Amino acid sequence: RKEVEQDPGPFNVPEGATVAFNCTYSNSASQSFFWYRQDCRKEPKLLMSVYSSGNEDGRFTAQLNRASQYISLLIRDSKLSDSATYLCVVNSYSGGGADGLTFGKGTHLIIQP
Amino acid sequence: GAGVSQSPSNKVTEKGKDVELRCDPISGHTALYWYRQRLGQGLEFLIYFQGNSAPDKSGLPSDRFSAERTGESVSTLTIQRTQQEDSAVYLCASSLAHRSYGYTFGSGTRLTVV
């Protein structure tokens, strides 16, 4: 089983719609969780951390479900500029890869006008 | 500097030549990471440095790859006798402390081996 799994998509969503995608992780010892955004031919950029109680940043809401070992990202009122690949990232203090942060392969989102 | 700086931004080299990629992390960031990303693929971990500790080289794909870091500053990734499969974007990231925080990435070096 892969350590961090994401649906690669693409998700084709009309502008203004709400879109959500999940990510599952295999290491129950994982402590920290992040969503990164990567635009085409650009480096990944931190979008938001994911806290146990869930957190919101403008149109973006992140949730964590430790019991089921998944995190989610919800985007409301989607904009054309939201088109990107969203990377789920998990930080494990045991396992999770030698580097401590394990990156999913990303979910590709396309917002259509 | 304000961000992670990588150079060169693009490098085209002939098969068999050596290349050296440079990363200048954010000042004060003790952890530094190198990743490789092939076209359309996810991030592939290569190596990380944490302060003055011995680097974790477990992700390096072959002995043609090596990296150095001087203290908590600049790092160089060297690829010897480049092969076409080495063509990728090489991303460097730094962090305040290993595993504790999200990473800040540089804009990468796009390496093309012809």
Side-chain angles (χ1 to χ4, degrees):
Chain A
R1 181 182 175 186
K2 294 178 185 174
E3 294 189 57
V4 178
E5 289 201 60
Q6 296 183 253
D7 182 341
F11 283 46
N12 289 282
V13 175
E15 189 177 9
T18 296
V19 60
F21 21 86
N22 291 341
C23 157
T24 58
Y25 60 95
S26 60
N27 189 337
S28 59
S30 298
Q31 298 291 326
S32 305
F33 310 88
F34 309 89
W35 283 102
Y36 275 70
R37 169 192 171 130
Q38 186 171 25
D39 291 289
C40 187
R41 300 174 76 86
K42 298 285 189 182
E43 73 275 19
K45 292 185 178 177
L46 180 64
L47 178 65
M48 60 196 299
S49 301
V50 185
Y51 302 122
S52 296
S53 55
N55 49 298
E56 190 174 303
D57 182 0
R59 297 181 295 107
F60 298 82
T61 301
Q63 301 244 317
L64 167 64
N65 185 318
R66 284 192 185 271
S68 301
Q69 293 181 210
Y70 77 82
I71 66 175
S72 64
L73 180 67
L74 179 85
I75 306 174
R76 289 183 300 278
D77 186 24
S78 53
K79 314 289 185 190
L80 295 176
S81 57
D82 294 335
S83 297
T85 297
Y86 290 84
L87 307 177
C88 172
V89 184
V90 175
N91 173 323
S92 302
Y93 289 109
S94 60
D99 63 328
L101 275 192
T102 302
F103 286 78
K105 295 194 182 300
T107 296
H108 189 37
L109 175 65
I110 301 171
I111 305 299
Q112 296 174 326
Chain B
V4 178
S5 177
Q6 291 189 246
S7 62
S9 54
N10 281 284
K11 176 72 177 178
V12 180
T13 190
E14 291 181 354
K15 179 181 172 181
K17 295 283 180 70
D18 298 351
V19 295
E20 195 171 276
L21 314 179
R22 176 188 168 108
C23 172
D24 206 337
I26 292 173
S27 178
H29 279 195
T30 59
L32 184 149
Y33 310 81
W34 283 97
Y35 287 85
R36 177 169 71 179
Q37 188 171 33
R38 292 194 169 103
L39 188 63
Q41 302 297 310
L43 293 173
E44 179 185 359
F45 166 74
L46 296 177
I47 188 171
Y48 96 85
F49 297 87
Q50 172 62 53
N52 294 316
S53 302
D56 183 336
K57 304 179 181 179
S58 59
L60 294 178
S62 79
D63 59 9
R64 296 186 296 106
F65 288 72
S66 63
E68 292 183 349
R69 187 184 186 194
T70 306
E72 294 184 355
S73 60
V74 172
S75 175
T76 55
L77 176 69
T78 302
I79 308 173
Q80 296 178 308
R81 305 182 302 281
T82 51
Q83 304 294 314
Q84 286 186 328
E85 64 263 26
D86 298 336
S87 296
V89 175
Y90 289 81
L91 290 161
C92 175
S94 70
S95 175
L96 272 171
H98 180 49
R99 297 177 172 176
S100 300
Y101 300 89
Y103 301 166
T104 301
F105 283 87
S107 55
T109 294
R110 185 172 301 278
L111 176 66
T112 304
V113 182
V114 297

